[in-house]
Amino acid sequence: MLTDRVQKLREQSLEAIPHIWIGRGEIVTDTYLKNEGKVSTPVLRALTFKDILEQKPICINDGELIVGEKGDSPAGAPTFPELCCHTKKDFDVMNHREKISFKVDKNAYKIHKNKIKPYWEKRSIRHKILETMSEEWMDAYEAGVFTEFMEQRAPGHTVADKKVFTKGFNHFKSEIRNSKEKFQAGSDPDKLDRIEQLKAMEITCDAIIRFAERHSEKALELASTEKDPQRKKELENIAEVCKYVPANAPRNFHEALQAYWFIHLGVTTELNTWDAFNPGRLDQHLQPFFEKGIKDGSLTKDSAYELLNLFWIKFNNQPAPPKVGFTLLESATYTDFANINSGGLTTDGSDAVNEMSYMVLDCIEEMRLLQPSSNIQLSEKNPDKFIERALHILKKGGGQPSIFNSDAVIQEMLNMGKSIEDARDGGTSGCVETGAFGKEAYILHGYFNLTKILDLTLHNGYDNFSEKQLSVGTGDAMFFGSFEELMSAFKEQLKYFIDIKIEGSNKIAEIYAETMPAPFLSVIIDDCISTGKDYNAGGARYNSSYIQGVGTGTITDSLSSIKQHVFDNERFTMQSMIQAIDDNFDGYEVLHSIVKNKTKKYGNDDDYPDSLMQEVFNAFYDSVNGRPNAIGGHYRINMLPTTSHVYFGSVIGATADGRKAGKPLSEGISPVQGADKKGPTAVLKSASKMDHLKTGGTLLNQKFTPQIFNDPKGVTAIKDLVRTYFKMNGHHLQFNVVNADTLRDAQLHPQSYGDLIVRVAGYSDYFNNLGSDLQDEIIERTEQCISI
Amino acid sequence: MTIEKNKLTGTIFNIQRFSLHDGPGIRTTVFFKGCPLRCIWCHNPESFDKSIQVTFDQEKCIECDICKGVRDISTSERCPANAIEVIGEEISVEDLYSEIEKDKGYYETSNGGVTFSGGEPLMQSEFLVKILKKCNENNIHTAVDTCGQASKEVFEKVNDLVDLYLYDMKFIDNDLHEKYTGSSNEKILENLKYLSDKNIRIFIRLPLIPGITDTEKNITEVVEYLKRINFEQINLLSYHGYAKNKYIKLGINVELDQLETISESRLEEIKNKFVSAGFKTVIGG
């Protein structure tokens, strides 16, 4: 049961209006104006961090026990002009757009115009990136061949491990000092850089401690005038908690949550890292505090649960940084992808499900918030009761928690050379991305439009959308004599664009390493302290760079169609096929019917299309995996779209599977919407023919009618589906439990469906927050049901 | 090594994966074509006739004239709009087994397997025996959903190969049985007794059709009859909607204009009668 306090704060969180808090932008500008050129870059970044935390308004909302906001108040979104300096038009768009809007007040416009923009316009990372990129990169980027994650958001995508729950910043400071002394005494060629980096880290430790103290002072100030004796006591307790953590290691459940929350605010204030930081394996971290509190009587189950609920609300108060341009198109959501894990395995490889795992699930069920996102890590060693509890929550719709194959996730990490302990302490974050929590920079570089590569292959490198010759010629497809010839041209085109993408990504990583270190984040990610290197410069123990493949279903079906109808059955020529797609099938009704109705399609456990999926996947893997990145690690692949499958579809003409021009592509590794006809067991079999263990994450969504979950045999069957998919090494599975009719009605009467949450890709969102193209795409997904 | 290719084929009209209501666990249900009964409420009129049928859907037709007006198996394959539909296929034991095997992983996790249904699978007993053997060899749990209208010899041939019978029961009163299914129930009840005496695992399945099979009299008679039978559980099947369009498409006379769904409360009442008799009673398949 949610307490009155929780209900009230939850309501406030839901009602808070996303708005721009311009204060951060202003402080950053002041700090740079004062210090740039006078101190080293890491120290400049550390001073920026310090100034923001010293000057930003302190917000303690009425009734709160866990305190601290990223902006001035709930739903206040800071700007990061050093990364992306908005134009006035950007602000206008944000202020007025129908979906994912942010209110911009007059003062913000004024400060931005007079102070922020003049300084950052030509200095922001976005400006530098767009200046530095090659013409080929710009052309491909603008044509929608790929997106670029770091063009307006910093490399982040990392997660806390248990050290932030067992150590305080005073301790980190002593580690930093030791490391500094070691380098000072040694003769490392980069000695001076490392010492500067460590100096910067130390400044950020003091800054976060001071930030917590400011909350302590504010709480005491509020307590002094508080009339309600109960609230007065609470405020005094908050003051004590904030005085103690994160300077010191938390002593109890309340301090553990508050310590993490300050760190969360620190990471997401320092830079606008992609995929908000998150506490990772929260049930593992909290269980010792929970047990201790219950044992010494300082905590009850109810009080622990209330604190956990309040912790949830803090996440929901922080909308993702406002995005513009292509980045908005690939990730059109307020959700910032903090994705809390529960379950999985312990460091020594045994079943990790504990009492807190179930409490986290209770919290997900009752809070029903978009943020934080949440998932269960399901190992063969975890009990059925655990997944059944999760399915019971999914049954109500809302798409949380998602379900991950813990055993596969661990294997993926081992395949990338991580230690077994680091792998077991890891999990998944963002949408579906595998990572060694607390020890890895696993940086996403952008979505890659696989279907567009086929389109370019069919047009000899010419792009009908941007009307440009985008790449090398690989021969006129009209005259290809065999399917193999088409595939080899495709692979050549693929390699051409992957080369461009990787060259660009390396340059961008270098820009961040040189000009935008993240000393605070570096304090809490191993082994940045001991190496004296920044997180953005390869200081983490593991450094992985990901490129995310999009459109698996659409490209597979398109290839299958060409292979089947042009080369195997010779029903029509390549000329007619290309002409038909160029004309969006106008005047080609028969051909269109044939490719739509007669093509063997992915998702039906049919090796004919499924082997083509494997060929595309392997070509993508071979062209990316293992290539060195700019920060001492390697490029890897994963297969997920967020909302980019809609954007990527909008930049491609019709496709050979019968899809009309501009329509969304298939989502994740799911089949094309409606192409799978043989039920969920067949879909999962098809999907499992992809070698998930070669990736850092794949995303499979299935839409089920609520009737299945209401069927007495349904939940058990779904559990068995999941368990079987995971035995086949499937990485992730998620369900939308909703009827298409409900969604159609919600499109017509949005006012009656304000709280309808659906699973989009690796995250859930309010149906009303989605663009109509994305709404349609979800409606068209196959609805799995039980035959009678 | 020589592999004897089995030329024997069966006629089926559907393979339904992820079936949850034809026996335990996740199952693949294979629908055999051809049935000795003509239950007027039947959902699957395409199962009546053993021969392969071709239907044509004018609404789907895009008038491409690829078929030149000839509607048969070969033009169905070429029909761009799937307006010409073939109902039923001849399938070899190997091909059918490879479809069944596809979900073996799910059967293992869920304690499921394959169910042969129809139509009446025992009508194609030679083929059924072969496919059952193949499943047995590969440790796939087998169920046969039968109306019971077959000779004892047929049962004798398949008994050892079947892990579970789903045995359909409609009426005890022979006149009613004849009226609504077109056949006497004499052999059906005899076979049930025979299986019961052999201690073979049986689930009884009773379709509840309002005003037809759910009458007080029929329920009481079924309960009484079952007291003499060894079976594991009884499944009460309520019917939703009616496949009237399928009848029209197939050109089969529509005898039942509308099929009502039994009410929840009546279903509970009937369930209680079976429970009181000491039977394990399950609503749904």
Side-chain angles (χ1 to χ4, degrees):
Chain A
M1 274 286 285
L2 302 182
T3 60
D4 290 346
R5 177 208 308 273
V6 170
Q7 287 186 25
K8 191 182 128 237
L9 287 163
R10 179 183 178 277
E11 238 8 79
Q12 273 179 12
S13 181
L14 291 171
E15 281 163 14
I17 293 167
H19 61 278
I20 294 295
W21 170 59
I22 203 72
R24 185 191 178 284
E26 200 179 4
I27 299 168
V28 175
T29 313
D30 286 340
T31 308
Y32 269 71
L33 280 168
K34 197 169 125 202
N35 297 297
E36 201 184 10
K38 296 179 191 154
V39 293
S40 69
T41 307
V43 169
L44 177 62
R45 290 306 304 163
L47 292 174
T48 305
F49 182 72
K50 177 170 168 268
D51 288 350
I52 300 167
L53 295 191
E54 266 178 9
Q55 293 171 36
K56 84 188 285 288
I58 298 295
C59 171
I60 295 179
N61 298 300
D62 191 30
E64 276 189 332
L65 297 178
I66 309 287
V67 298
E69 295 290 340
K70 188 161 73 169
D72 53 342
S73 61
T79 61
F80 297 77
E82 67 268 50
L83 299 166
C84 167
C85 181
H86 295 115
T87 60
K88 179 178 177 294
K89 199 178 152 219
D90 287 339
F91 274 177
D92 289 343
V93 170
M94 268 181 234
N95 202 6
H96 298 297
R97 70 186 167 206
E98 196 193 334
K99 315 249 164 164
I100 323 296
S101 67
F102 288 85
K103 290 291 147 224
V104 189
D105 65 24
K106 279 200 186 120
N107 187 43
Y109 269 105
K110 205 175 103 195
I111 293 172
H112 190 74
K113 184 180 161 210
N114 296 337
K115 189 176 203 174
I116 299 172
K117 194 160 160 262
Y119 185 82
W120 290 108
E121 211 171 9
K122 296 275 160 55
R123 284 183 169 91
S124 76
I125 283 262
R126 188 170 193 226
H127 179 80
K128 280 182 198 151
I129 288 173
L130 299 180
E131 286 274 283
T132 316
M133 292 297 108
S134 66
E135 197 185 330
E136 290 81 8
W137 189 96
M138 283 305 295
D139 284 349
Y141 176 67
E142 282 168 0
V145 174
F146 48 70
T147 65
E148 175 49 58
F149 266 43
M150 262 105 68
E151 155 260 350
Q152 54 185 281
R153 293 192 67 178
H157 217 291
T158 193
V159 175
D161 64 357
K162 67 174 168 236
K163 70 176 156 295
V164 304
F165 291 87
T166 55
K167 290 174 186 168
F169 277 78
N170 284 330
H171 177 91
F172 295 136
K173 272 172 70 179
S174 73
E175 282 184 17
I176 292 166
R177 276 196 295 267
N178 289 342
S179 181
K180 211 159 64 181
E181 278 163 21
K182 186 187 81 191
F183 285 113
Q184 262 155 353
S187 57
D188 189 283
D190 298 327
K191 176 175 165 172
L192 293 178
D193 289 343
R194 293 183 204 265
I195 290 168
E196 279 304 306
Q197 175 67 28
L198 289 161
K199 227 195 267 175
M201 289 188 196
E202 202 176 345
I203 295 169
T204 64
C205 292
D206 287 327
I208 198 79
I209 294 170
R210 177 70 200 124
F211 183 54
E213 278 170 3
R214 290 184 65 215
H215 284 82
S216 178
E217 288 156 12
K218 176 85 180 179
L220 282 182
E221 184 194 315
L222 290 170
S224 70
T225 56
E226 178 61 55
K227 301 248 163 37
D228 176 1
Q230 169 72 20
R231 181 61 185 159
K232 192 180 172 80
K233 233 175 101 190
E234 284 170 9
L235 286 164
E236 283 163 1
N237 187 41
I238 290 170
E240 189 175 331
V241 168
C242 297
K243 211 171 160 189
Y244 197 79
V245 293
N248 306 291
R251 296 166 296 190
N252 57 44
F253 197 84
H254 187 160
E255 286 182 354
L257 290 172
Q258 184 64 62
Y260 172 77
W261 188 246
F262 281 130
I263 292 165
H264 185 93
L265 293 178
V267 172
T268 54
T269 297
E270 179 174 52
L271 286 169
N272 62 1
T273 53
W274 257 114
D275 286 351
F277 199 63
N278 85 67
R281 306 276 297 277
L282 189 63
D283 56 344
Q284 306 307 298
H285 306 321
L286 291 182
Q287 182 72 13
F289 296 105
F290 178 71
E291 282 173 14
K292 184 170 165 262
I294 296 287
K295 209 171 155 193
D296 67 21
S298 61
L299 193 73
T300 64
K301 241 182 142 170
D302 287 347
S303 63
Y305 187 59
E306 183 178 51
L307 285 164
L308 196 63
N309 292 163
L310 295 170
F311 184 64
W312 242 243
I313 292 169
K314 296 314 297 186
F315 284 90
N316 202 60
N317 281 355
Q318 323 301 329
K323 288 162 262 191
V324 295
F326 290 129
T327 303
L328 177 69
L329 294 174
E330 71 179 357
S331 185
T333 174
Y334 288 126
T335 299
D336 209 13
F337 302 97
N339 196 339
I340 288 172
N341 293 225
S342 53
L345 297 179
T346 58
T347 317
D348 67 6
S350 51
D351 173 16
V353 171
N354 58 33
E355 223 171 323
M356 283 310 300
S357 317
Y358 290 101
M359 192 183 280
V360 166
L361 291 178
D362 291 343
C363 185
I364 295 165
E365 180 174 35
E366 283 204 283
M367 294 302 284
R368 235 184 127 72
L369 291 171
L370 289 191
Q371 302 198 79
S373 203
S374 55
N375 70 71
I376 63 163
Q377 300 286 312
L378 182 71
S379 161
E380 279 198 348
K381 290 185 183 171
N382 297 141
D384 277 352
K385 193 182 146 202
F386 181 53
I387 177 183
E388 280 162 6
R389 177 76 188 98
L391 291 174
H392 177 76
I393 299 167
L394 279 166
K395 182 176 158 171
K396 300 180 175 174
Q400 286 202 46
S402 55
I403 306 174
F404 287 89
N405 182 354
S406 181
D407 305 311
V409 166
I410 290 169
Q411 191 59 48
E412 288 158 18
M413 285 195 257
L414 294 177
N415 290 350
M416 293 178 201
K418 291 163 191 163
S419 81
I420 183 86
E421 291 82 8
D422 289 351
R424 285 179 186 143
D425 282 345
T428 52
S429 64
C431 291
V432 297
E433 300 87 308
T434 296
F437 293 172
K439 299 155 194 90
E440 182 175 15
Y442 45 119
I443 295 163
L444 272 60
H445 282 265
Y447 298 108
F448 193 86
N449 195 344
L450 292 165
T451 315
K452 179 112 186 175
I453 305 298
L454 176 61
D455 193 52
L456 289 165
T457 310
L458 292 173
H459 296 96
N460 203 4
Y462 183 80
D463 180 34
N464 283 333
F465 173 75
S466 59
E467 298 180 338
K468 273 186 186 166
Q469 182 67 34
L470 273 196
S471 76
V472 288
T474 44
D476 188 339
M478 296 223 186
F479 302 106
F480 285 162
S482 68
F483 184 71
E484 289 66 38
E485 217 174 308
L486 171 68
M487 284 310 286
S488 96
F490 168 77
K491 287 172 194 171
E492 206 181 319
Q493 293 285 354
L494 177 66
K495 187 167 178 309
Y496 175 81
F497 286 106
I498 292 289
D499 287 350
I500 291 174
K501 174 69 181 157
I502 286 184
E503 194 195 324
S505 293
N506 285 342
K507 280 188 200 158
I508 292 169
E510 280 162 15
I511 292 174
Y512 273 97
E514 281 162 23
T515 67
M516 206 53 67
F520 178 69
L521 178 59
S522 303
V523 172
I524 50 170
I525 300 297
D526 300 333
D527 304 310
C528 296
I529 294 178
S530 62
T531 59
K533 271 172 92 173
D534 191 81
Y535 176 86
N536 284 346
R541 186 172 302 167
Y542 308 110
N543 293 281
S544 311
S545 294
Y546 281 100
I547 297 174
Q548 305 97 250
V550 175
T552 301
T554 307
I555 186 172
T556 301
D557 291 355
S558 301
L559 286 169
S560 183
S561 171
I562 295 170
K563 183 173 178 350
Q564 187 185 339
H565 305 303
V566 176
F567 293 106
D568 288 359
N569 297 347
E570 298 180 356
R571 269 196 102 164
F572 31 79
T573 60
M574 200 68 160
Q575 281 93 327
S576 345
M577 181 70 103
I578 293 174
Q579 198 58 57
I581 61 175
D582 287 350
D583 292 353
N584 200 19
F585 299 110
D586 282 348
Y588 289 86
E589 200 190 3
V590 173
L591 187 147
H592 189 230
S593 287
I594 291 172
V595 297
K596 255 178 64 185
N597 298 319
K598 297 293 191 187
T599 301
K600 296 174 177 175
K601 291 178 177 173
Y602 168 71
N604 297 292
D605 195 10
D606 177 347
D607 285 341
Y608 189 95
D610 295 353
S611 62
L612 296 169
M613 176 278 288
Q614 290 170 319
E615 192 171 350
V616 171
F617 171 82
N618 287 329
F620 181 48
Y621 174 82
D622 290 341
S623 59
V624 174
N625 189 66
R627 292 175 67 164
N629 65 15
I631 53 170
H634 297 95
Y635 280 91
R636 310 283 181 200
I637 62 164
N638 46 30
M639 307 297 282
L640 67 118
T642 312
T643 57
S644 68
H645 58 301
V646 176
Y647 163 56
F648 278 171
S650 74
V651 297
I652 311 178
T655 41
D657 63 336
R659 175 191 145 279
K660 293 282 186 84
K663 293 282 173 197
L665 305 177
S666 59
E667 170 266 342
I669 61 164
S670 312
V672 167
Q673 300 76 1
D676 49 321
K677 308 269 189 210
K678 295 202 165 170
T681 60
V683 174
L684 303 190
K685 281 282 298 292
S686 283
S688 71
K689 291 175 197 175
M690 179 180 279
D691 192 346
H692 296 237
L693 302 183
K694 283 177 161 177
T695 73
T698 63
L699 191 149
L700 180 63
N701 273 322
Q702 283 279 281
K703 191 163 80 179
F704 278 92
T705 62
Q707 287 83 337
I708 289 198
F709 283 83
N710 292 329
D711 187 293
K713 284 181 156 183
V715 172
T716 309
I718 303 274
K719 177 208 81 188
D720 291 331
L721 275 182
V722 174
R723 290 279 198 190
T724 311
Y725 183 54
F726 285 1
K727 273 186 199 164
M728 298 188 286
N729 294 330
H731 172 89
H732 153 277
L733 187 56
Q734 184 52 300
F735 304 103
N736 250 321
V737 184
V738 66
N739 279 325
D741 285 345
T742 309
L743 299 179
R744 281 191 203 98
D745 198 50
Q747 271 189 325
L748 292 175
H749 309 105
Q751 67 285 359
S752 323
Y753 290 90
D755 61 349
L756 176 63
I757 300 174
V758 294
R759 194 75 185 170
V760 180
Y763 72 103
S764 298
D765 211 335
Y766 288 107
F767 193 68
N768 285 349
N769 274 353
L770 308 178
S772 62
D773 40 6
L774 189 53
Q775 291 181 343
D776 288 340
E777 186 268 314
I778 293 173
I779 290 170
E780 281 162 24
R781 290 180 196 171
T782 305
E783 207 168 69
Q784 305 289 8
C785 54
I786 317 178
S787 63
I788 301 166
Chain B
M1 192 177 77
T2 55
I3 299 168
E4 261 190 52
K5 181 98 180 136
N6 199 317
K7 295 274 184 273
L8 182 70
T9 59
T11 311
I12 61 169
F13 68 90
N14 193 15
I15 298 173
Q16 177 71 52
R17 296 165 71 171
F18 195 59
S19 281
L20 303 183
H21 293 143
D22 295 319
I26 295 175
R27 310 190 72 82
T28 294
T29 303
V30 180
F31 292 89
F32 282 55
K33 208 159 167 355
C35 186
L37 304 189
R38 291 290 180 272
C39 307
I40 66 161
W41 57 80
C42 186
H43 266 116
N44 295 325
E46 64 270 47
S47 71
F48 292 170
D49 194 334
K50 200 206 153 190
S51 63
I52 288 170
Q53 291 159 291
V54 178
T55 62
F56 174 68
D57 188 338
Q58 185 70 55
E59 274 179 32
K60 282 189 184 165
C61 179
I62 55 169
E63 291 170 10
C64 64
D65 207 30
I66 286 177
C67 64
K68 309 236 179 299
V70 181
R71 285 151 197 164
D72 60 16
I73 297 179
S74 86
T75 54
S76 157
E77 263 170 40
R78 298 186 66 78
C79 175
N82 289 340
I84 306 172
E85 201 186 333
V86 175
I87 297 174
E89 64 171 309
E90 295 271 345
I91 193 164
S92 69
V93 173
E94 283 71 23
D95 287 351
L96 177 56
Y97 179 72
S98 79
E99 282 301 307
I100 293 170
E101 196 196 21
K102 283 182 173 173
D103 279 354
K104 200 173 176 207
Y106 301 99
Y107 310 151
E108 283 165 4
T109 316
S110 68
N111 292 318
V114 62
T115 298
F116 299 102
S117 180
E120 175 50 61
L122 295 176
M123 272 179 90
Q124 302 182 48
S125 62
E126 206 186 331
F127 179 73
L128 181 65
V129 165
K130 291 260 178 349
I131 187 69
L132 281 169
K133 274 192 180 149
K134 186 88 187 167
C135 294
N136 276 239
E137 282 161 18
N138 291 284
N139 294 319
I140 292 176
H141 180 272
T142 58
V144 168
D145 181 7
T146 178
C147 70
Q149 180 80 329
S151 71
K152 198 166 288 167
E153 292 69 42
V154 167
F155 277 103
E156 276 167 1
K157 273 203 298 191
V158 300
N159 277 347
D160 289 346
L161 304 169
V162 176
D163 296 312
L164 169 69
Y165 276 111
L166 306 176
Y167 205 99
D168 297 354
M169 172 161 270
K170 285 105 187 179
F171 303 96
I172 304 301
D173 183 310
N174 194 28
D175 291 342
L176 289 175
H177 203 278
E178 277 191 10
K179 180 177 170 195
Y180 288 110
T181 74
S183 293
S184 147
N185 64 6
E186 201 181 324
K187 217 192 273 178
I188 295 172
L189 297 180
E190 206 180 287
N191 285 331
L192 180 58
K193 185 79 185 75
Y194 153 80
L195 292 178
S196 157
D197 292 345
K198 286 186 112 44
N199 266 326
I200 290 173
R201 193 175 180 212
I202 301 169
F203 290 0
I204 302 287
R205 285 152 72 93
L206 177 66
L208 292 172
I209 314 298
I212 301 178
T213 61
D214 79 335
T215 61
E216 218 39 53
K217 179 174 169 286
N218 191 42
I219 299 298
T220 311
E221 286 171 1
V222 171
V223 169
E224 283 310 308
Y225 183 85
L226 287 177
K227 287 184 179 163
R228 293 178 281 136
I229 300 291
N230 295 315
F231 67 100
E232 191 172 315
Q233 67 178 46
I234 175 156
N235 293 81
L236 304 177
L237 312 178
S238 77
Y239 272 47
H240 300 277
Y242 180 55
K244 192 170 166 181
N245 287 338
K246 279 200 205 169
Y247 281 78
I248 294 167
K249 214 162 97 179
L250 288 158
I252 301 172
N253 199 22
V254 180
E255 290 194 45
L256 202 60
D257 197 49
Q258 213 181 346
L259 183 71
E260 276 173 39
T261 301
I262 190 164
S263 70
E264 292 275 328
S265 56
R266 178 70 185 134
L267 199 55
E268 272 308 308
E269 252 175 61
I270 296 175
K271 183 183 172 184
N272 288 336
K273 285 195 197 307
F274 285 96
V275 171
S276 308
F279 303 144
K280 183 181 172 198
T281 310
V282 176
I283 290 178

